[in-house]
Amino acid sequence: MYKEEVVLCSQILNQHFGPIVEQVGMMLIRRGRSTIPYICKETKMARKNVRECLVVLIQHLLVSHSENMENGRIIVHYNFSIKNLLKRTRIGMYLALIEERFGKTGLEVAKLIALNGTLTLDQIRKSLEKETNSIDINLYEDTMLMMVKDRSLVAVRPENMLTVEDIKQKLELKEISTMTVPPTAKELENIRSRINEEIDIRTNSKIIVGTKRKITENGINNPAKRLKMGTNNSEDEELDPGCFFAIGVNKLDVLLRNTHLANYADRITNIGGVTVMKTLLGIAEPSLGSCKDHKTFTISTPQIIARIPKEVSIENMIILSNDDNDSESANGYYKSEKKRNIAVAESVFSFLEILSNDKSGMVIKTDGIGPGQFYVNFEKGIYAIRRQMINEFVRSHYGNESVRLLNILADHPYLDEKQLSKIGMMPPTTCREKLMELSLVGLVEVQEIHRSADRAPIRTLYLYTIDTNRQASAMLKLLYSFTLKLNQRLDYENLLKQKLIMKANRNDVVNDNSLLSEGDKDSLNELNSTLEKIGAALLRIDSVILVFRDSL
């Protein structure tokens, strides 16, 4: 963990929950798995306050707890989830995605959950009734049911409150307790491998939890009989009132990741290629559980053609081989629907060929009948996007020569300064300076090869190379540092205009805006403009963090 990451966690806890919860959370982050007495001792807080802080953090899925038997007593240990905390900076993008997919009703439900943590259906219903007197609860319940089926809302199960290590430990003890003799080293290794496979299956499960069948009047609950009688539809399902619901950040991260892939397709082709890429990802979207999936299932070209939006004139976005001899296609107008469908199919296939022939290898064509089948390789696509983002960062901070050196090392690793200066067509002194800058940041690694036993520098070869994992770690460290500086600037701007903000938030000023002078209004507009720019910069940085930290 980086120092910048720890400070960023402290800032997020302070902004979202206040200084008291921040003190308990930071103690768990620094010390790790702890009990309540140990937390009270380290933070010097009352037991009641510590318990209340832990309840708040557990409610927001930031702390997990596990019960363990020690010396005949049940001891409860608490562990902090840094991954879930850092994702809270993305709440604004999550809410925007939910509003885009489910409208205002979905946005209100998501806001309630983001503000209060995990809630049951009854708690959500009561909160909505308090906010609005005339409200159609059935409309909100239908929207929630759609969100649960889409996995934008997920039901919180008991295993979500446990860490992976605690689950492994309990399953391992359960397996060992069934054996008559202690396991050997090989048997223990087999047990742990089976446990890891079981946890992977649970994690990547596509089963939707949080819904149940309605009790019907005819009493038919057998799925086969319901299907035979034609009553097996989504109207017979309802939300489980005993489940707690939380925002499905994994599914929303998939949607944000798909946006990056579509933007990369825009650099390869045009809007037509983006439409084909979005359609390809949209077909595979229901099968994607998280950003850790390596690829989609294979999709045939007719499936993609059938899902292309009709309002997008994709046939006018690419020049086909027979366009010069066809006056209808040249004008973009087709007399018959059949000719237009043929042109759309040819255009989609041409865009798929362009995407599959790109050097990134993001879209891969497999052997199939007719025009073939395609799938998206997320591992190669994310690698290409990371490389593109690193190149843009290096170009803006260190110049085009540094980008040239990075591209050379990406294709030809382990080169010395002479080879790099010759291939990069730059003076040796400039090459050495650029390599030193990149190595100090962590984007370039140096491999020493000693030609003698005394390891003298004069008899040592220094070869430069690139490690993609260390590059991602170096970029994350820089991104966390930029986020910290922007948060500090945000606090500084609010501190400068603190008195003006307090004046503008007074009840009499809210009711009568004329109590503010023209200078106060100009200062408020300037402050809002500055805060808006800082917020937009934070969102852009967090979208880059999604690619480097949360994708594969």
Side-chain angles (χ1 to χ4, degrees):
M1 181 186 292
Y2 309 113
K3 178 183 69 175
E4 293 82 2
E5 192 173 2
V6 175
V7 179
L8 182 60
C9 289
S10 177
Q11 286 184 351
I12 296 171
L13 284 171
N14 195 356
Q15 291 173 0
H16 290 216
F17 304 104
I20 299 177
V21 178
E22 176 201 357
Q23 192 175 357
V24 175
M26 290 308 298
M27 182 270 157
L28 287 173
I29 290 174
R30 291 193 175 98
R31 299 294 184 182
R33 199 162 175 260
S34 305
T35 60
I36 288 182
Y38 186 72
I39 297 173
C40 295
K41 178 183 176 182
E42 290 293 321
T43 58
K44 297 180 181 179
M45 293 171 57
R47 188 183 184 91
K48 178 185 175 183
N49 294 340
V50 171
R51 290 174 66 90
E52 290 174 352
C53 293
L54 290 173
V55 167
V56 171
L57 294 173
I58 291 172
Q59 186 79 8
H60 288 271
L61 300 180
L62 297 178
V63 168
S64 58
H65 56 90
S66 61
E67 297 178 353
N68 300 296
M69 185 67 70
E70 295 182 6
N71 299 326
R73 296 174 56 194
I74 296 178
I75 306 297
V76 182
H77 291 88
Y78 297 89
N79 194 26
F80 199 94
S81 176
I82 298 175
K83 180 181 71 173
N84 291 347
L85 177 64
L86 293 175
K87 285 187 177 182
R88 288 190 65 86
T89 58
R90 218 171 288 157
I91 285 179
M93 290 189 282
Y94 292 155
L95 295 179
L97 279 174
I98 290 174
E99 183 182 11
E100 180 183 348
R101 295 169 71 87
F102 303 101
K104 296 292 183 181
T105 55
L107 177 62
E108 290 182 20
V109 172
K111 278 184 177 179
L112 276 176
I113 296 175
L115 183 63
N116 301 296
T118 56
L119 297 174
T120 61
L121 181 60
D122 292 336
Q123 291 172 337
I124 293 173
R125 187 187 292 117
K126 290 177 182 178
S127 299
L128 291 173
E129 288 175 349
K130 287 180 182 178
E131 292 182 1
T132 310
N133 295 326
S134 58
I135 188 170
D136 187 4
I137 294 296
N138 293 328
L139 177 61
Y140 284 88
E141 290 182 3
D142 294 340
T143 304
M144 283 186 64
L145 182 61
M146 293 169 56
M147 294 171 71
V148 170
K149 290 183 176 180
D150 187 64
R151 293 200 295 274
S152 297
L153 278 186
V154 294
V156 180
R157 293 173 289 183
E159 52 263 31
N160 296 123
M161 295 299 177
L162 298 175
T163 61
V164 178
E165 290 75 14
D166 292 329
I167 296 173
K168 288 181 179 179
Q169 184 179 5
K170 288 188 175 182
L171 292 175
E172 184 177 331
L173 292 174
K174 185 178 178 180
E175 288 279 347
I176 294 174
S177 64
T178 59
M179 304 175 68
T180 57
V181 294
T184 62
K186 188 174 182 180
E187 290 175 343
L188 190 59
E189 184 180 353
N190 293 333
I191 290 173
R192 288 173 179 172
S193 63
R194 288 200 305 270
I195 290 172
N196 290 332
E197 291 176 2
E198 184 178 349
I199 291 175
D200 290 339
I201 292 172
R202 289 183 186 180
T203 305
N204 301 321
S205 176
K206 302 299 187 294
I207 298 174
I208 296 174
V209 182
T211 61
K212 66 174 186 177
R213 288 285 182 187
K214 288 183 180 179
I215 300 176
T216 56
E217 295 180 359
N218 52 18
I220 300 174
N221 292 321
N222 191 334
K225 291 183 179 180
R226 295 170 65 88
L227 183 62
K228 187 176 181 180
M229 295 185 64
T231 61
N232 191 21
N233 50 38
S234 60
E235 296 180 356
D236 296 328
E237 291 182 342
E238 63 179 1
L239 294 172
D240 189 352
C243 286
F244 286 83
F245 294 96
I247 297 176
V249 294
N250 290 332
K251 177 60 180 292
L252 298 175
D253 282 342
V254 168
L255 299 177
L256 294 173
R257 189 268 315 272
N258 291 349
T259 303
H260 282 286
L261 294 172
N263 292 337
Y264 184 78
D266 190 17
R267 299 175 67 92
I268 302 172
T269 57
N270 55 15
I271 300 177
V274 174
T275 304
V276 172
M277 191 67 190
K278 285 182 178 179
T279 305
L280 188 62
L281 294 169
I283 295 172
E285 181 185 307
S287 65
L288 301 176
S290 66
C291 291
K292 302 301 180 183
D293 295 325
H294 290 275
K295 63 178 182 179
T296 65
F297 58 85
T298 54
I299 304 169
S300 64
T301 306
Q303 286 179 289
I304 302 172
I305 295 171
R307 293 282 297 271
I308 292 292
K310 291 186 177 180
E311 60 270 13
V312 179
S313 301
I314 196 171
E315 66 276 7
N316 299 329
M317 298 177 183
I318 191 170
I319 300 174
L320 303 174
S321 59
N322 56 353
D323 282 355
D324 295 335
N325 301 324
D326 193 347
S327 60
E328 292 184 9
S329 61
N331 296 327
Y333 173 76
Y334 295 90
K335 295 180 180 179
S336 64
E337 188 68 20
K338 183 178 180 181
K339 286 188 176 181
R340 183 185 180 277
N341 292 337
I342 293 173
V344 169
E346 292 179 354
S347 302
V348 170
F349 178 71
S350 300
F351 277 118
L352 287 171
E353 287 290 327
I354 294 173
L355 291 172
S356 60
N357 291 330
D358 185 66
K359 63 180 181 180
S360 65
M362 180 173 60
V363 178
I364 297 177
K365 182 179 180 181
T366 60
D367 294 332
I369 301 173
Q373 296 178 335
F374 298 85
Y375 70 89
V376 179
N377 190 322
F378 294 122
E379 192 171 357
K380 293 184 178 179
I382 291 299
Y383 172 76
I385 294 172
R386 285 178 179 176
R387 186 171 172 181
Q388 170 196 328
M389 289 179 172
I390 290 173
N391 287 346
E392 290 176 355
F393 168 77
V394 171
R395 182 178 289 109
S396 61
H397 286 76
Y398 304 107
N400 292 324
E401 294 87 356
S402 300
V403 176
R404 197 185 313 160
L405 292 174
L406 277 181
N407 291 332
I408 292 171
L409 289 174
D411 297 330
H412 307 284
Y414 297 106
L415 298 176
D416 60 6
E417 291 181 5
K418 291 182 181 179
Q419 293 170 319
L420 283 170
S421 62
K422 184 177 179 181
I423 298 173
M425 294 181 293
M426 62 181 71
T429 54
T430 304
C431 179
R432 188 179 299 111
E433 291 174 0
K434 297 298 180 183
L435 287 173
M436 182 59 65
E437 291 176 351
L438 294 174
S439 62
L440 289 175
V441 180
L443 299 177
V444 169
E445 302 292 328
V446 182
Q447 177 66 52
E448 298 180 357
I449 299 178
H450 304 283
R451 292 187 291 182
S452 61
D454 58 355
R455 298 175 177 264
I458 197 171
R459 289 183 291 276
T460 302
L461 293 176
Y462 297 95
L463 303 181
Y464 294 89
T465 186
I466 285 177
D467 188 328
T468 55
N469 293 329
R470 292 184 179 179
Q471 263 192 349
S473 299
M475 283 297 297
L476 275 178
K477 186 177 180 181
L478 290 171
L479 291 169
Y480 288 148
S481 177
F482 297 155
T483 305
L484 286 176
K485 291 176 182 177
L486 286 173
N487 284 331
Q488 291 172 358
R489 177 64 186 273
L490 200 67
D491 296 336
Y492 177 73
E493 292 292 337
N494 287 323
L495 185 62
L496 282 180
K497 305 291 177 63
Q498 186 177 7
K499 293 183 179 179
L500 181 60
I501 294 172
M502 292 174 62
K503 180 180 178 182
N505 291 334
R506 279 177 8 208
N507 292 332
D508 55 341
V509 177
V510 172
N511 296 328
D512 186 6
N513 197 24
S514 62
L515 295 176
L516 290 174
S517 64
E518 292 299 327
D520 292 341
K521 292 179 181 179
D522 293 340
S523 298
L524 278 177
N525 292 332
E526 183 181 355
L527 176 63
N528 292 331
S529 176
T530 304
L531 296 182
E532 185 178 353
K533 291 177 182 178
I534 295 174
L538 286 170
L539 288 178
R540 285 198 301 270
I541 291 176
D542 198 75
S543 66
V544 179
I545 291 176
L546 170 71
V547 174
F548 282 95
R549 186 189 66 204
D550 300 325
S551 299
L552 295 176

